[in-house]
Amino acid sequence: SAAAAPLAAWVMANLQYSTILEKISPLEKVREDLQKNLQKAEKQMEKISKGLVTVDQQVAELKRNFEVLMKEATTIKVDLEREQEVIKVAGTLVERLGGEF
């Protein structure tokens, strides 16, 4: 009948819509799970990135400390070499003075 045709079309459309929703629903769940995993991964990346900045700062500080200590070690070495030279000269002088007495 002419009056039932639009109602039948509406029912068919609703059935098709329901079928589509049944197919899409699991896909939407997967998409939501993937979105949550992405957010977790982004948070972890941000945390790791901040940690790397901290490590870089610590490495820079250690390098500065190492440079200072190397300069100090070089100064001590030069001073030690000078003192050894003074001791050597003093020993030679003592030998000469001892030989005179």
Side-chain angles (χ1 to χ4, degrees), residues 21-100:
L21 283 180
E22 286 177 9
K23 290 179 181 178
I24 289 177
S25 180
L27 296 175
E28 286 180 339
K29 172 71 172 128
V30 169
R31 183 187 61 84
E32 287 174 12
D33 290 344
L34 290 173
Q35 189 69 31
K36 287 177 185 176
N37 288 341
L38 176 62
Q39 288 172 350
K40 285 180 185 177
E42 286 173 344
K43 286 180 184 178
Q44 288 176 340
M45 295 261 310
E46 184 179 335
K47 210 179 213 183
I48 289 169
S49 179
K50 287 179 182 177
L52 286 175
V53 169
T54 302
V55 168
D56 287 343
Q57 290 171 344
Q58 290 174 344
V59 167
E61 180 65 26
L62 289 172
K63 282 182 180 179
R64 284 191 294 273
N65 290 342
F66 179 75
E67 289 172 6
V68 168
L69 292 173
M70 286 304 295
K71 286 179 184 176
E72 288 177 4
T74 301
T75 301
I76 290 170
K77 182 180 177 189
V78 168
D79 290 345
L80 182 59
E81 288 171 355
R82 273 194 222 134
E83 288 176 12
Q84 287 176 339
E85 198 57 39
V86 169
I87 290 170
K88 185 177 179 183
V89 170
T92 303
L93 182 61
V94 167
E95 286 178 13
R96 286 186 186 164
L97 288 174
E100 290 180 13

